[in-house]
Structure formats: structure tokens, C-alpha cells
Amino acid sequence: MTTQSQMLKGILEGCILSLMENREVYGYELSTLLEESGLTFVSEGSIYPLLLRMQKEALIEGTLRSNTGSGGPPRKYYNLTKKGKDTLTQFKQHWGTLKHSVDHILDNERSKR
């Protein structure tokens, strides 16, 4: 496992919750949104198990809908539950503190060189 994927493992859930904050998304769309956000190394295969776990934890809920636009198979659309919204709020608070602390350490080390 690369350093980048190890670091991402702990924050991917928060990123997914954030992408669902204002709209419903389906799995492949979520994969595309993560890639467009710069997370190009997140595989589609790693997203679906995470969505399943998040659904079991009642952070998100899924609704199966027919795909009338393209005539393809039905898609499962996910959105945040109340618990998911609360978890996202907590993630944003913790991320802000963690980011600030890590940036401070990295900047101090950089200035010492």
C-alpha cells in the first residue's frame, strides 16, 4: 500500500460525505467526482465496499432507481442521513484542526532547512 493510499484511507469517508452534502450521487458518479477533485488514485472497486459500510452505519441511505436516461440498468443513488450530516460536520472540524497542525509542523521543518 502506498503512503498516499494509506493517508487517504482515513479521510475518504469524509470526502464522500462531503460530495453527498448537497445532492444525491450514484457510485460511478462518485468515482468520477473524486477523480475530478484530484483523487485520481481512488479505484472504483474501493468505493463500493465503503458505500456499503457507510450505509450499514446509517451515514447514508441508498435508493435504487431506473436509469431511464440511458436505458441502462437501475442505479443506486446515495444521500446523507441525519447521522451522516452530523458525522460530516465533525469530520470538517477535525480535519481543519489536523490540517492546521500538520501544515504547521511541515512549514516549521521547511523553514529550518
Side-chain angles (χ1 to χ4, degrees):
M1 187 178 281
T2 67
T3 301
Q4 194 173 36
S5 63
Q6 287 177 338
M7 291 172 69
L8 180 63
K9 188 177 181 182
I11 61 171
L12 188 55
E13 180 179 293
C15 292
I16 289 173
L17 291 173
S18 185
L19 289 170
M20 291 181 190
E21 184 173 21
N22 296 312
R23 66 183 198 158
E24 292 182 315
V25 295
Y26 57 94
Y28 180 76
E29 178 185 21
L30 185 57
S31 175
T32 302
L33 290 169
L34 288 166
E35 187 174 325
E36 289 172 355
S37 298
L39 300 179
T40 56
F41 48 86
V42 177
S43 70
E44 189 178 338
S46 65
I47 293 172
Y48 290 102
L50 184 55
L51 290 172
L52 183 59
R53 183 181 59 74
M54 291 168 69
Q55 194 169 1
K56 285 180 181 178
E57 292 176 3
L59 300 175
I60 60 174
E61 56 189 8
T63 306
L64 198 59
R65 294 203 191 120
S66 63
N67 188 0
T68 55
S70 68
R75 291 180 176 159
K76 193 168 197 176
Y77 285 84
Y78 298 93
N79 59 35
L80 295 184
T81 62
K82 168 77 168 97
K83 183 178 178 184
K85 290 176 185 177
D86 293 344
T87 300
L88 176 59
T89 299
Q90 290 174 356
F91 173 81
K92 287 179 178 181
Q93 291 169 348
H94 294 304
W95 176 252
T97 302
L98 182 62
K99 181 183 179 315
H100 175 76
S101 299
V102 171
D103 285 345
H104 179 75
I105 291 168
L106 295 175
D107 290 342
N108 281 341
E109 283 303 309
R110 196 174 301 128
S111 66
K112 289 180 183 178
R113 293 181 186 161

